[in-house]
Amino acid sequence: MIHSARQARPTSTLRRTASATPSFNTTAAEFSKQFNFQHLVNSPLPSPALPSIVPRHGKKPAPRTIRLAVRVFARLFIYLFAFTLLYAFFTLARHALSSPTPLNIVSVNVNEYKIAGQEPASHDAGPVVVTDSRHRPKWTVAIPRSAEFPLKPSQYAQICARSDDIVQQLHASALHSHFHLGPSESRRTATGFVDVQEAHEQGLLSPPTVGDAQLGPASTGIGEAVRAQSKMKAQAYDEPKGSAICEKSLTFIMETADAGLGKTLLGLWMAFGLAREEGRAFFIDDSNWAYGKYTTFFEHPPIPSCRPPPATQRLPCPRQTRHLVISTTTYQWAFGDFIESLSHDRHPHNQATRKHRAFSLARAGHDALFRLTGADADYVSSRLADLDTTHSQGSLSIGLHVRRGDRHPWERQYSDSYIPHLTYSSTVQALVTAALGPVNNTAPLSAAHQTHHYPPRILLASDDPETYLAPEFISSTERAQAQIQLASKATLDAALPGPRPEAPSRDQDPAFIKFVEPNVGWEGGFFASIFWGLGNAAEGRAAARGVREERPKKAPNEESLRLREYVGRAYLLDLKIL
């Protein structure tokens, strides 16, 4: 029998080692020795699904509150995003399904006009919709060449109101037809507006003829237009010095349905400041001013170096038009957008900035235009010199304006009456105390500070002549100006020489009673009906009933203009002194 010297090759069958798998013949001691669980600690985890004993990457797990907050915010973001998508979808669907007022742009085949709605009447001025060469809707303002310049203030207001409707229709049409509007064509900048001159150049409107009568202001100056249309004498401030038409201009219309001067003056000064701010030539039209001529009260304003444009190119809105016309009825279109556009931030803290900007415009116009003329200017100079002497001596001057008439305070408790005189005097007393120290409350205002060599001077102005005789003011105030004084009926009766005729008795025959016209004084303050009735009782009664014509066909007579001139001069003197 032959035996091989090579050793047998071990089989490839895997068998469990004794250390891993115990036999059933081993004892309990040997089993516990073999399985001491030490190998489980040193061996890797048997399954990746089981939690790790050691924190991952050495970081501590996030607290439960943070994880909960993250989940809440994530869900809120998802909900908000979904709500935004739904809101945008329904908004677009609503605009797509809605039926806005169509522009109905049709060609009327008249002078190449393409008007929205209907053919324009020859006597009607207003906005029109035209289409450019790319068939896009645009709008401008068409003023007939036969229309008188200036238009009535109510007409200017109607033009601007209808222009707002046109802009809204263009917005609705753009949303409905998915027409893209550029960033420069936003609603605030008058979407799709084309200036009249550009409309003529682009062929959107018929070009003006050379022999057009309305070219008079552009060829001979605004003074010629005033002479031809209002039959007034030519004013020096109306005559431009240059021969070229102004590139940009602003014309302020003095005509107003308001009998007062305050609103007109404030608008005039702000318009001048706006014209200077935007580099526009400034013109004033007083052809229908209720107080007469501008130069009766003020010096000539600065004369532009160019001529005004034709009347058909002077528009009341939008404000970015090349040649702007401002009336008392178009303040909200002329100044509202400008003041709001000065600051894009709507935060309440910037309200003061916008108001300061508006007052700066008024200040620019006040300093340039509020210059009285004639004897009034000389009186103001002497009066202000007297007040300056008082100030140089260390005294105090306080201006006080007591308004009566048809204006009532905004405070609820005085909305149907007037602020008491005692309130005015108490306020003045507080100002004197703050400036000069404690005073004797029982003494008059001007004599309260006996320790001061020069007592304070209280300058009083009022539209009611009886205010100067009130017990609160008669001994402690002085008139702001004594050049022109409004007198009441009692003052006029006392100023007449000789005794007044007595009232007739009942036994006296009326046929033998001599008629004596009673005096009519300025009673109770400034009332619009009294102002319109100066020299024309019929117009005053119409104003009291609210049926006065905006622009009466018959011009005011010389007596009415003379009396209105006195009222206006008295107000301007008080305003200038205070």
Side-chain angles (χ1 to χ4, degrees):
M1 187 177 192
I2 301 174
H3 296 275
S4 176
R6 293 182 303 176
Q7 295 182 359
R9 181 179 296 178
T11 62
S12 59
T13 306
L14 296 178
R15 296 181 302 174
R16 294 186 180 184
T17 59
S19 60
T21 304
S23 61
F24 292 98
N25 297 327
T26 57
T27 62
E30 293 176 352
F31 179 81
S32 60
K33 182 178 181 180
Q34 294 177 1
F35 289 87
N36 54 5
F37 300 98
Q38 186 66 28
H39 65 287
L40 296 177
V41 178
N42 298 328
S43 63
L45 291 176
S47 174
L50 297 176
S52 176
I53 299 177
V54 182
R56 300 178 181 178
H57 307 290
K59 298 181 180 179
K60 295 182 179 181
R64 182 178 179 85
T65 55
I66 296 180
R67 288 181 291 176
L68 181 60
V70 171
R71 293 176 183 175
V72 171
F73 281 111
R75 292 180 179 178
L76 288 178
F77 176 78
I78 294 174
Y79 295 154
L80 181 61
F81 181 74
F83 175 77
T84 304
L85 289 180
L86 292 175
Y87 179 78
F89 173 76
F90 284 111
T91 301
L92 294 177
R94 183 183 60 183
H95 286 295
L97 297 177
S98 61
S99 56
T101 304
L103 288 177
N104 191 21
I105 303 176
V106 296
S107 176
V108 299
N109 215 7
V110 177
N111 295 330
E112 300 180 2
Y113 276 100
K114 291 185 179 180
I115 310 300
Q118 59 183 358
E119 180 179 350
S122 60
H123 62 277
D124 188 20
V128 296
V129 176
V130 296
T131 55
D132 59 6
S133 58
R134 300 174 60 182
H135 302 285
R136 295 179 302 180
K138 301 291 183 179
W139 72 278
T140 185
V141 178
I143 298 179
R145 302 181 185 92
S146 59
E148 181 183 4
F149 182 85
L151 302 177
K152 296 180 181 180
S154 61
Q155 290 180 289
Y156 285 128
Q158 291 175 2
I159 291 175
C160 293
R162 291 163 59 186
S163 299
D164 290 344
D165 296 337
I166 291 292
V167 173
Q168 293 178 2
Q169 291 184 15
L170 288 178
H171 272 276
S173 177
L175 292 175
H176 184 69
S177 60
H178 306 286
F179 178 72
H180 177 68
L181 295 177
S184 62
E185 295 181 335
S186 61
R187 182 177 182 181
R188 185 166 297 279
T189 57
T191 301
F193 173 74
V194 180
D195 197 79
V196 175
Q197 182 176 350
E198 298 176 359
H200 288 316
E201 295 173 354
Q202 298 176 11
L204 302 179
L205 296 178
S206 58
T209 58
V210 177
D212 195 340
Q214 204 62 12
L215 290 177
S219 58
T220 60
I222 195 172
E224 295 292 336
V226 171
R227 285 195 294 268
Q229 296 178 3
S230 61
K231 300 180 180 180
M232 293 179 59
K233 294 181 180 180
Q235 301 297 326
Y237 64 91
D238 288 330
E239 300 293 347
K241 296 182 296 185
S243 58
I245 297 178
C246 300
E247 183 68 21
K248 298 172 62 178
S249 68
L250 191 156
T251 305
F252 185 83
I253 308 299
M254 299 291 292
E255 181 184 7
T256 175
D258 189 4
L261 274 174
K263 185 177 180 180
T264 304
L265 289 180
L266 181 59
L268 173 66
W269 297 339
M270 291 187 65
F272 181 87
L274 179 60
R276 176 177 293 183
E277 184 80 15
E278 297 183 347
R280 298 174 180 265
F282 185 73
F283 299 95
I284 298 176
D285 184 273
D286 62 350
S287 55
N288 297 292
W289 193 27
Y291 285 85
K293 303 175 183 178
Y294 179 87
T295 52
T296 303
F297 306 91
F298 306 101
E299 295 181 357
H300 302 298
I303 302 177
S305 59
C306 56
R307 290 181 295 137
T312 56
Q313 297 185 14
R314 283 179 276 184
L315 311 180
C317 56
R319 195 182 55 82
Q320 62 267 25
T321 185
R322 183 172 299 179
H323 302 288
L324 182 64
V325 173
I326 296 181
S327 175
T328 54
T329 58
T330 62
Y331 285 171
Q332 57 178 322
W333 290 281
F335 304 126
D337 290 345
F338 174 72
I339 296 174
E340 292 179 2
S341 62
L342 294 175
S343 176
H344 297 286
D345 189 1
R346 302 293 181 176
H347 199 273
H349 293 289
N350 292 326
Q351 294 289 338
T353 303
R354 292 194 291 271
K355 292 180 180 179
H356 176 75
R357 190 64 173 178
F359 282 116
S360 66
L361 296 179
R363 169 59 67 179
H366 171 274
D367 296 342
L369 302 179
F370 194 26
R371 299 176 180 178
L372 302 182
T373 183
D376 295 343
D378 298 336
Y379 177 82
V380 168
S381 299
S382 61
R383 180 64 167 161
L384 293 180
D386 178 43
L387 295 176
D388 291 339
T389 302
T390 303
H391 295 164
S392 62
Q393 296 173 349
S395 182
L396 179 67
S397 296
I398 298 178
L400 185 61
H401 183 224
V402 180
R403 181 69 163 91
R404 290 293 186 264
D406 52 8
R407 291 295 183 182
H408 298 277
W410 289 348
E411 289 83 356
R412 186 177 183 84
Q413 57 179 337
Y414 303 124
S415 59
D416 295 331
S417 59
Y418 305 105
I419 298 178
H421 293 162
L422 183 61
T423 302
Y424 287 98
S425 61
S426 300
T427 303
V428 172
Q429 188 78 43
L431 293 176
V432 173
T433 302
L436 303 179
V439 299
N440 183 10
N441 295 330
T442 59
L445 292 177
S446 59
H449 287 269
Q450 299 296 338
T451 57
H452 296 270
H453 183 67
Y454 297 99
R457 302 178 66 176
I458 314 300
L459 307 179
L460 176 61
S462 178
D463 58 336
D464 184 6
E466 298 298 329
T467 301
Y468 300 98
L469 304 178
E472 294 84 359
F473 304 131
I474 189 172
S475 61
S476 58
T477 64
E478 57 180 301
R479 290 179 178 267
Q481 60 87 19
Q483 179 80 348
I484 300 177
Q485 301 180 19
L486 301 177
S488 62
K489 184 177 182 303
T491 304
L492 293 177
D493 292 341
L496 289 178
R500 294 289 297 171
E502 299 181 356
S505 60
R506 296 182 179 180
D507 300 335
Q508 191 173 1
D509 189 358
F512 297 94
I513 298 177
K514 183 179 180 180
F515 175 76
V516 179
E517 184 177 0
N519 291 319
V520 179
W522 192 266
E523 306 292 341
F526 186 91
F527 291 92
S529 58
I530 296 180
F531 172 81
W532 296 120
L534 293 175
N536 191 343
E539 188 174 358
R541 290 191 296 267
R545 296 194 304 268
V547 294
R548 178 184 175 272
E549 297 182 9
E550 182 180 10
R551 182 183 292 179
K553 297 180 180 179
K554 186 178 180 181
N557 53 47
E558 295 183 0
E559 181 68 14
S560 297
L561 289 178
R562 186 179 66 86
L563 295 177
R564 294 177 184 180
E565 177 185 335
Y566 282 131
V567 174
R569 289 175 56 192
Y571 173 78
L572 293 175
L573 285 171
D574 288 334
L575 185 62
K576 190 68 174 179
I577 298 298
L578 294 181

